[in-house]
Amino acid sequence: MEENRRIPLLLFILFICTEVSSFTFCKESARTMRYVNRCPTDLDSWKIAAKDMNCESIKHKCSSGRHHFQYHCVINAWMNATLEVCAPNRTIFGYCTEYNIMGHVIQENYAAECARYDPPCLQIYNSAEAYKYQSCYERVRRNKDWMRDNVRSTSERPCGQWTLTFLSIFQMMRAGALR
């Protein structure tokens, strides 16, 4: 009788392991990542971009079962760039889809709750369908515009070169003092 209880438990554990493994890194996806100025805006442009990327031809060990290694065009974790990548698809829950370049994984961007945007994304959607939620890409465009208008290089700031020179000298003195 006890053996009969173990079988469903074992099957459940195997299912969880399969699901969790789809959220872990995929080094093959990292090799396919490239920054782009814009992502597809509809299914037709998504199909063209997916065909150009040709994710199906890439050998990998990243997906199994219902998670498919496929084309994505998503935001980055800092919401200041869009990128294309071949990666296993994921179910996303109410947030913009991002590709985490450190973890080599598609995931939710918890700083971008697109379910609250106008227009909102669905509460549950496939990561490969991120193109349907243009408000996520709009956030990237706004962040880029803000950076362009508000952030100046050190050479453009008053005393920028002096600050950089002082910090460099201070760092060299500190390194010498540590020896």
Side-chain angles (χ1 to χ4, degrees), residues 2-160:
E2 193 167 315
E3 275 186 32
N4 289 341
R5 284 190 223 158
R6 290 182 184 175
I7 292 173
L9 180 60
L10 180 61
L11 291 174
F12 178 73
I13 290 171
L14 286 172
F15 173 76
I16 294 298
C17 289
T18 302
E19 289 301 303
V20 169
S21 70
S22 71
F23 303 145
T24 58
F25 88 42
C26 172
K27 68 180 179 182
E28 290 88 351
S29 71
R31 290 187 216 134
T32 68
M33 192 212 69
R34 61 184 179 204
Y35 289 98
V36 293
N37 289 325
R38 26 180 299 138
C39 286
T41 56
D42 56 31
L43 181 59
D44 290 337
S45 59
W46 184 91
K47 286 180 180 179
I48 292 167
K51 185 178 178 186
D52 289 345
M53 198 85 162
N54 196 17
C55 297
E56 299 80 26
S57 70
I58 299 168
K59 293 186 180 189
H60 63 89
K61 297 177 184 170
C62 299
S63 60
S64 62
R66 58 193 185 111
H67 300 283
H68 305 287
F69 192 75
Q70 65 187 117
Y71 172 79
H72 289 79
C73 193
V74 297
I75 65 176
N76 68 351
W78 301 279
M79 294 182 289
N80 63 2
T82 50
L83 55 94
E84 292 180 315
V85 66
C86 296
N89 67 322
R90 282 235 5 239
T91 300
I92 301 295
F93 298 96
Y95 292 88
C96 294
T97 302
E98 74 170 34
Y99 180 72
N100 183 303
I101 59 175
M102 300 299 285
H104 311 299
V105 66
I106 292 288
Q107 61 188 24
E108 290 95 343
N109 183 315
Y110 291 114
E113 190 175 358
C114 59
R116 294 182 180 214
Y117 293 173
D118 184 27
C121 64
L122 295 176
Q123 284 291 337
I124 299 173
Y125 68 94
N126 183 322
S127 60
E129 296 176 351
Y131 70 88
K132 292 180 178 179
Y133 309 110
Q134 294 294 308
S135 56
C136 294
Y137 307 130
E138 181 58 35
R139 186 118 180 196
V140 169
R141 283 189 283 279
R142 277 185 296 189
N143 286 344
K144 281 183 178 179
D145 290 346
W146 185 90
M147 293 289 286
R148 184 190 66 237
D149 296 341
N150 295 295
V151 177
R152 296 185 288 173
S153 73
T154 55
S155 62
E156 293 174 329
R157 289 185 210 141
C159 302

